[in-house]
Amino acid sequence: ADIDADADFGKALQGGALGLHYPCNNPQPEVQSDYGLKFWASEDFSTESSWAGAGCWGRLLNTNFVRMNITATIAWSLIWSVYDDWQCL
């Protein structure tokens, strides 16, 4: 749906947010300036569960906020749980 073309859709979003799947450092200032919505990363991040991965996560959260004013980031597979002998193809 298009926010500009569908008034009911636009009203339903008021006070909410618009999410972008893997925003990749692609600011969308009109989300906030034109529509008054928060800007979220609806899915971002995929790394290993280690201290190095934690550093990547922290860097991503800061980058998303500072460069794009993204106020929420959803991590895909933040907790990776599989059997030790599972073969990843």
Side-chain angles (χ1 to χ4, degrees):
D2 185 349
I3 297 173
D4 295 319
D6 188 339
D8 290 333
F9 180 63
K11 286 179 190 174
L13 290 175
Q14 290 307 306
L18 191 65
L20 185 62
H21 190 81
Y22 286 93
C24 300
N25 199 20
N26 183 19
Q28 305 286 324
E30 67 278 1
V31 169
Q32 295 164 328
S33 63
D34 295 355
Y35 304 112
L37 299 172
K38 296 176 185 92
F39 188 36
W40 291 357
S42 59
E43 183 177 326
D44 211 345
F45 180 71
S46 181
T47 191
E48 60 187 65
S49 57
S50 66
W51 285 111
C56 290
W57 176 237
R59 189 169 34 258
L60 178 76
L61 291 174
N62 281 297
T63 297
N64 282 353
F65 182 73
V66 171
R67 292 188 180 168
M68 296 178 284
N69 202 23
I70 289 179
T71 57
T73 300
I74 297 172
W76 176 82
S77 191
L78 185 59
I79 299 173
W80 180 253
S81 57
V82 296
Y83 294 108
D84 290 336
D85 61 352
W86 184 68
Q87 297 297 314
C88 184
L89 302 176

